[in-house]
Amino acid sequence: MQVEDSHNTFESRSYSIDMPSWNDEGMMNKFRESAEFNVFPFYQGNIDSLAEQINNKTVNEIEGIYLYGNHTKLLLVQEGGFINGYVYETSLKPWRKEELMLRLLPQGNDRYKLIFGNAINKKLIYNFEKFQDGFLMQLKLQKINVDHQAHHQKLYPGQSYLLNRLNDTVQYLKIGSFKSSEEGIKKASTFCDSISDKLNAKLLIVDLRGNSGGYKTNGKYFKKLLKRFHGEMVFLINFRTKSYAEIFTLQWKSKSKVTVAGMNTSGVLVYSRNYPEKASSMDGWFLTHFTDMGGLLYTKYENIGIEPDVYLDLSRDWIEQVLQSPNR
């Protein structure tokens, strides 16, 4: 029987190099001679002609030209049942023009299995991806003809936790992590204690965008905090809301005065990894992360995700959409 377990992932062995080492020509030459550097194939054709061919694809077509951060431009094209992503321009020293950097295997509903090369050391990594309105959510790729910001992505990326007052009646609470390490738990506990008497608005926006999970040893502090709040709550979720962050969302979704808004989550909440050892393939090329926790409670959400009560428009600011809702 096939088990749907999105926590169970694999990666290739990695070459020991970091970004500062790119400036060491001796180390880079050794890297260029390694098998890890040369594992990715090149485009079999004229890459410039391909760029012209797919340049006019609409934002709703997955083929096209994409920006990957501020360092790389990728061409995504359908080939033999896959969507392949080739490097067109890049400032990443390990990567070369025409090199295959990612491959997507369609799974239906604009979801894909994803295999891609790490930007820094070219380690091959397995994950999952979703395409919507010109964006690839996991890798944060954006088509060049998208004319608005990525409003679905998390705010304040440098802060795990944050409480802001947006106006006289609305507060904003970012919960960016449920990390269960000793440091993560202490950080959550300290933050919740610091704002325990400050949640006093009529509406609280609880932002879980980009929260990749953790465990209830962290989440219990936020659960206790929110239980003391008596106003209305709107939870914001996106495709990068994962694992325990999805479970946390479900624990509140059906409660009165709670609305979940945004887009479907990742759907990786049935199983989980505590601190498992990585199992190596016989040839030493691949490492597998087996799950060691979980059960059957949330199977209907695996690889599907949690549906929000209200879907939000990716082209408009999500906070503003909540504030402008007719129900406000």
Side-chain angles (χ1 to χ4, degrees), residues 62 83 104-107 110-114 128-129 131:
I62 192 168
I83 304 295
L104 300 170
L105 177 62
Q107 300 296 295
D110 293 319
R111 294 174 68 102
Y112 299 83
K113 291 184 178 179
L114 165 66
F128 43 94
E129 187 60 275
F131 172 76

Side-chain angles (χ1 to χ4, degrees), residues 140 153-162 172 174 176 187 209-210:
K140 298 183 181 180
Q153 292 181 11
K154 65 181 179 182
L155 299 179
Y156 313 103
Q159 296 178 261
S160 296
Y161 310 120
L162 178 71
Y172 167 89
K174 176 182 178 179
K187 196 172 183 179
R209 286 176 289 180

